[in-house]
Amino acid sequence: MRTPIIQFGTSRFLQAHALSFLQTGRPLGEAPHVTVVQTTDDPARRNRLEALAAPQGYRVEIKGIEGGETVDRAEQVQVVKRRLAFSADYAALERIVATEARWIVSNTADRGFDPQPADSLPRPDPAQSYPAKLYHLLAARHLAGGGALTILPTELVARNGDVLRARVMDIAREQGADASLVDALSQHLWVNSLVDRIVSQELQPAGAVAEPYALWAIEDQPGLSMPETHPAIQIMPDLEPIQRLKLHVLNLGHTTLVDLWQQAGKRETYVREAMSGPLAGELLAIYQAEVLAGFAARGMGDQARDYLAVTLDRFANPFLDHRLSDIEGNHASKISHRVTDFLGWSGLTPDQAPRLHALSAKGA
């Protein structure tokens, strides 16, 4: 058995996103079998890792409203054929990356790319950042004579493929990599992508509940190939428009709603509850007076208005238990990326967007 796809991360998001698409799409070539890698030593995730590769697979429940119709269906995802822990199974992981891999997918959380002290170690270590772990695996592939891979990060980082490539190349220089290895690293396809799906609840020991809406937008480049086709996988010449819409309509809306919820005393538990009460009116006022104005200033007013309508339906999805407390995590960092960056991009002044500027100040 070969697993041409290696996935770093076991999150419920990837379970209901990339892995779900690989299960339900149309393969282009060999079967889209996956090895999933737990990148940390967290023992609490071991049961999840085991369940992902169970012969019967794991369950993804899709619930919501799509095209005015109620959606309530389940998928059994069975594409995961191996599960490995980075530290305990490193020798097997190195062999699989060196000899089987064609695609590498990752989702290592908001700070997964951040440098760590252990990155300077000359050998792979579980305390290293994901780029450092990836560097050592790609170096082993080069020594084994392996060719170029397609590397597909899904982390919520703007131009995530470019950022990951730059970080891996920095580590190569810090490690004193020779010219042939540096050249080999540059030959991989480092793909910029953007992902979008609300995955509101995990199932035990593995599985998730997600909305029908799903997107994996991938920036085209020469030589790009994917393991399969799927309606949610869209190859685009430029990710900038959809990146701005997702980050500054959907994500900004989530962060703004959390701020309003905090100010109101955290009475609601779920996004859908907040969207059926007074917080929804406050959020809509900010959207209409400030967010749409910012997009209009950049010539994207119509696109933003259409995307907002879909976003509000997604927020109000009566089937999803999307906890506001989950969105609250890393709140200051999210304000910076979602709100402050929007104000800089749109050029809106404090007079034009007073509430967003006040929120931005909380993330400083």
Side-chain angles (χ1 to χ4, degrees):
M1 181 187 62
R2 289 173 52 85
T3 54
I5 303 162
I6 315 300
Q7 175 183 295
F8 289 88
T10 65
S11 68
R12 71 188 189 205
F13 175 81
L14 282 176
Q15 293 174 47
H17 191 268
L19 292 175
S20 173
F21 304 163
L22 292 170
Q23 178 68 45
T24 57
R26 182 170 66 85
L28 297 172
E30 64 182 308
H33 292 162
V34 182
T35 289
V36 169
V37 183
Q38 180 182 324
T39 58
T40 70
D41 284 335
D42 182 0
R45 298 205 172 195
R46 190 70 193 185
N47 287 342
R48 176 192 293 178
L49 184 65
E50 297 280 349
L52 288 176
Q56 71 273 20
Y58 64 88
R59 183 179 177 89
V60 175
E61 298 178 2
I62 311 298
K63 298 176 180 287
I65 306 296
E66 189 173 42
E69 300 292 329
T70 299
V71 175
D72 188 355
R73 67 175 188 269
E75 302 167 354
Q76 203 70 15
V77 178
Q78 298 172 297
V79 293
V80 180
K81 302 303 179 182
R82 289 198 191 97
R83 77 292 182 277
L84 302 174
F86 183 84
S87 55
D89 304 311
Y90 186 81
L93 173 61
E94 185 181 87
R95 177 187 60 78
I96 293 165
V97 170
T99 62
E100 295 184 16
R102 292 185 60 196
W103 295 273
I104 291 181
V105 178
S106 67
N107 191 294
T108 54
D110 291 344
R111 304 181 66 85
F113 289 0
D114 289 0
Q116 300 297 323
D119 289 356
S120 61
L121 296 174
R123 296 172 301 279
D125 188 277
Q128 291 169 340
S129 66
Y130 171 61
K133 294 183 173 86
L134 183 59
Y135 163 76
H136 288 289
L137 289 166
L138 294 179
R141 180 178 175 88
H142 172 63
L143 287 175
L149 299 171
T150 298
I151 298 172
L152 292 156
T154 68
E155 286 82 356
L156 295 179
V157 175
R159 303 200 64 79
N160 45 21
D162 292 344
V163 172
L164 181 57
R165 178 186 185 277
R167 182 65 193 130
V168 170
M169 298 301 281
D170 284 345
I171 292 168
R173 286 188 286 271
E174 293 163 5
Q175 293 282 339
D178 62 31
S180 66
L181 174 53
V182 172
D183 181 65
L185 294 173
S186 70
Q187 298 303 312
H188 297 297
L189 270 65
W190 303 84
V191 180
N192 295 310
S193 74
L194 179 145
V195 297
D196 191 0
R197 187 173 223 178
I198 296 172
V199 183
S200 63
Q201 181 184 346
E202 63 182 5
L203 303 177
Q204 296 296 336
V209 179
E211 65 175 339
Y213 181 90
L215 175 67
W216 191 358
I218 294 171
E219 188 173 78
D220 200 5
Q221 61 174 285
L224 176 66
S225 67
M226 293 293 291
E228 66 172 38
T229 62
H230 188 281
I233 300 175
Q234 299 183 25
I235 311 298
M236 300 180 174
D238 181 12
L239 293 183
E240 173 75 9
I242 191 65
Q243 179 88 40
R244 291 294 179 182
L245 290 169
K246 179 180 184 295
L247 187 62
H248 301 320
V249 177
L250 184 134
N251 296 142
L252 178 149
H254 272 150
T255 295
T256 302
L257 187 62
V258 164
D259 182 69
L260 295 170
W261 169 70
Q262 290 173 336
Q263 294 180 54
K266 299 187 176 183
R267 288 192 293 269
E268 297 84 2
T269 300
Y270 303 115
V271 171
R272 57 177 166 75
E273 292 174 339
M275 294 304 294
S276 64
L279 296 185
E282 295 183 61
L283 176 63
L284 185 59
I286 294 170
Y287 268 138
Q288 292 178 333
E290 304 185 19
V291 175
L292 292 182
F295 276 97
R298 296 301 301 258
M300 293 180 62
D302 290 343
Q303 290 170 274
R305 193 172 295 107
D306 292 343
Y307 190 85
L308 175 59
V310 174
T311 297
L312 292 173
D313 284 345
R314 294 170 69 190
F315 283 2
N317 186 336
F319 297 95
L320 293 192
D321 291 342
H322 196 189
R323 293 181 180 274
L324 289 156
S325 58
D326 287 346
I327 303 170
E328 188 181 24
N330 298 314
H331 189 51
S333 174
K334 289 176 180 176
I335 290 172
S336 175
H337 291 298
R338 301 173 177 185
V339 179
T340 305
D341 286 358
F342 171 71
L343 293 170
W345 173 74
S346 66
L348 294 181
T349 67
D351 288 341
Q352 294 170 311
R355 298 189 70 172
L356 289 181
H357 273 277
L359 177 54
S360 174
K362 296 179 181 180

